[in-house]
Amino acid sequence: MARSRTVQQSTARPARGEAKPLGPGLHPGVVEMIVARGEESDARPAFQVRSSDGRRLLATLAAGVSPAFIEECMREGRTVVLADAPGGVAILGALQTASAPAPDAHGTLALDARHLRLRARETLELEVPGSSLRIEPGGAVRIEGDRLVIDMAALVRIFSARVELP
């Protein structure tokens, strides 16, 4: 669960000629908490981060970084990438430490898990040439093949040239 602090904190911005909080380059860090930024509803969130040398810093998100993604990084303790920016410290993204699912050289994508859950807000569809499976809200399920259609809502209708039931 994300922790939030309601006390306002200010970002320490270095004056001209002063050293930046992190120094040149990219730096690893961990997001510790979300920090309230004030009353403006359109203000981007600020985060308290701990740098690799143990310092706690206030950081904002770089352009294009999703707040929901960084909150996920915070919950899971993932390492984020920090850098000095004109407005202070910025979170540039997260450090990837495991392979992302991707098809192999033969085009096969294998997901190996004890449990696999796919969620969709409206419909879930699986398609291959000649067949499809569509699951809709309310429990409606439609399975289609070249010579088969199973439409399940409250009534099951099977349209096929031949049906065998044990």
Side-chain angles (χ1 to χ4, degrees), residues 1 37 44 73 98-99 114-115 130 135 142 144:
M1 181 172 193
R37 289 287 293 195
R44 292 187 55 99
C73 291
S99 298
R114 185 165 176 219
H115 300 281
I135 304 170
R142 182 175 181 95
E144 281 188 66

Side-chain angles (χ1 to χ4, degrees), residues 15-143:
R16 281 213 156 139
E18 241 182 79
K20 300 250 184 176
L22 293 170
L26 303 176
H27 303 270
V30 176
V31 178
E32 292 185 328
M33 70 175 67
I34 302 170
V35 179
R37 289 287 293 195
E39 300 304 317
E40 311 91 49
S41 61
D42 62 337
R44 292 187 55 99
F47 298 87
Q48 178 179 300
V49 296
R50 183 180 296 270
S51 65
S52 59
D53 62 3
R55 291 182 292 155
R56 285 194 171 114
L57 304 163
L58 191 63
T60 57
L61 299 178
V65 178
S66 164
F69 174 66
I70 297 304
E71 288 176 23
E72 180 183 315
C73 291
M74 178 179 63
R75 283 190 307 273
E76 296 180 6
R78 284 193 223 155
T79 301
V80 296
V81 179
L82 307 171
D84 287 321
V89 176
I91 300 173
L92 304 179
L95 181 65
Q96 183 172 331
T97 58
S99 298
D104 64 14
H106 303 288
T108 301
L109 175 64
L111 299 175
D112 186 18
R114 185 165 176 219
H115 300 281
L116 180 62
R117 175 178 290 160
L118 301 175
R119 288 186 183 205
R121 292 197 196 298
E122 292 185 25
T123 60
L124 177 65
E125 293 185 54
L126 302 175
E127 295 181 5
V128 295
S131 301
S132 68
L133 167 68
R134 180 180 174 99
I135 304 170
E136 299 178 350
V141 177
R142 182 175 181 95
I143 302 171

